[in-house]
Amino acid sequence: MRRAGLVDVLGAAGQINVQGEQQQKLDVLANEAMKQALGRTGRVSTMASEEEEDPIPGSGDGGKYVILFDPLDGSSNIDVNASIGTIFSIHRRCSSTGTGVLEDCLQAGRKQVAAGYVIYGSSTVMVYSAGRGVHCFTLDPTIGEFRLINSNVTTPPTGQYYSINESNYTRWSPGYQKIVRSFKGVENDGIGKNARYIGSLVADFHRNLIAGGIFLYPADTKSPRGKLRLLYEASPLAFVAEQAGGAASDGKTPILDIEPTKLHQRTPLVIGARDDVAFVERTLREVDTASQ
Ligand code: P6P
């Protein structure tokens, strides 16, 4: 990415991934890099990637762990040099033998042993939690190592930002329309939040984690199950959000409590400041459930 444009890694790879999306060259490169790096550890029995239909066999029976990842999220932003990221979710295997086992991948987010992301922005920052707080590291290119810059990161209970693609407004439920009017200050005497939307989940999530905010990608008439994927986008970020004192739900149920049934299943996502997430859930109950 740092040399995109100088070497031939920009633009489309000319193939469609399992999601039906145009794969970017860097998507393919990032996916191969993740598989090679993780496969060599000898600790991973099974991997799953946004870029591949089926689970990927890891390093044989010795692997205790399962890793699910989105190798390069937000790749539509690559050619315009906006921040993009890698998201990862780590579980203990539940199968006793074999590799590439689907049941190992279909575990609820509450069972993650660790999760996090790397954001490729003005600096390369890795954020993760292993269940004891959230910790941030910055890559020091002079030594090629990640250095701890912030431990036990917490996110403000009420955020100053809201992040949502407002061009979908007409496709939302009345509840989400009311929520966004409230965030804009239309519903309560002009007291609202600042809108910030990069269109790259990791970048929007990271800003809200650090500065305080809420990200929403509701289900709508075009994406009735939402757009974002549960296992390697919503679930790992929900793990980080909860560890930082935030919250994440599909508008009703905590993301970490959703029992997955398909590897690439999608979910609505409301994530960030816990009081804002609670406000969204309350409003949806009052407006949408009441009107059903
Ligand atoms: P929209 C990027 O393609 C992505 O998967 C996420 O990184 C991002 O939050 C979302 O899609 C943006 O979607 O529909 O607003 O362009």
Side-chain angles (χ1 to χ4, degrees):
M1 272 163 284
R2 295 279 175 247
R3 299 176 59 225
L6 301 173
V7 292
D8 178 22
V9 292
L10 287 177
Q15 56 226 41
I16 303 294
N17 68 10
V18 63
Q19 319 290 341
E21 292 167 345
Q22 181 70 256
Q23 264 186 329
Q24 301 298 304
K25 286 177 190 160
L26 271 172
D27 282 326
V28 177
L29 286 169
N31 190 47
E32 288 309 314
M34 291 288 282
K35 289 194 297 183
Q36 284 179 30
L38 295 169
R40 275 200 301 264
T41 62
R43 296 164 188 257
V44 177
S45 71
T46 300
M47 292 177 258
S49 168
E50 185 209 33
E51 298 298 333
E52 306 213 8
E53 174 96 40
D54 300 314
I56 304 147
S59 46
D61 290 352
K64 282 195 325 186
Y65 297 102
V66 180
I67 299 191
L68 304 96
F69 52 85
D70 181 350
L72 206 53
D73 177 77
S75 51
S76 54
N77 290 303
I78 293 171
D79 290 7
V80 297
N81 202 24
S83 297
I84 49 184
T86 298
I87 311 172
F88 58 89
S89 167
I90 303 176
H91 286 275
R92 280 196 187 75
R93 69 180 299 169
C94 42
S95 61
S96 48
T97 60
T99 65
V101 180
L102 182 59
E103 70 168 307
D104 284 336
C105 302
L106 300 182
Q107 299 187 57
R110 199 68 71 193
K111 293 182 183 167
Q112 290 173 103
V113 291
Y117 57 90
V118 181
I119 177 168
Y120 311 103
S122 45
S123 55
T124 297
V125 172
M126 177 170 70
V127 178
Y128 87 93
S129 176
R132 287 185 293 281
V134 172
H135 313 293
C136 290
F137 301 76
T138 294
L139 178 68
D140 180 343
T142 60
I143 58 173
E145 291 288 349
F146 280 96
R147 297 173 58 183
L148 179 66
I149 48 165
N150 230 337
S151 48
N152 298 311
V153 172
T154 55
T155 194
T158 302
Q160 58 178 307
Y161 297 118
Y162 75 97
S163 308
I164 192 167
N165 184 338
E166 297 202 40
S167 67
N168 296 329
Y169 182 85
T170 56
R171 294 199 288 264
W172 297 334
S173 69
Y176 275 110
Q177 291 177 341
K178 180 177 172 65
I179 287 160
V180 171
R181 287 198 305 274
S182 169
F183 286 160
K184 292 161 81 78
V186 170
E187 299 264 321
N188 38 12
D189 308 327
I191 305 161
K193 301 179 183 294
N194 281 328
R196 290 285 187 281
Y197 193 72
I198 300 170
S200 181
L201 175 59
V202 174
D204 282 316
F205 176 82
H206 186 68
R207 178 202 51 253
N208 292 346
L209 177 79
I210 301 299
I214 185 167
F215 172 95
L216 308 94
Y217 209 107
D220 61 28
T221 50
K222 187 175 100 180
S223 316
R225 295 183 185 282
K227 172 178 183 181
L228 300 173
R229 290 82 172 181
L230 173 64
L231 285 173
Y232 40 77
E233 290 177 339
S235 194
L237 296 184
F239 187 82
V240 172
E242 287 201 6
Q243 282 290 316
S249 87
D250 63 2
K252 201 176 342 180
T253 306
I255 291 291
L256 297 183
D257 294 338
I258 297 174
E259 286 296 340
T261 54
K262 290 199 177 74
L263 192 58
H264 300 290
Q265 74 184 65
R266 298 173 191 264
T267 178
L269 180 61
V270 179
I271 189 167
R274 68 168 177 269
D275 295 349
D276 293 341
V277 172
F279 166 75
V280 171
E281 292 172 336
R282 192 168 55 249
T283 306
L284 292 175
R285 277 196 305 273
E286 287 162 7
V287 179
D288 288 353
T289 313
S291 64
Q292 277 167 1

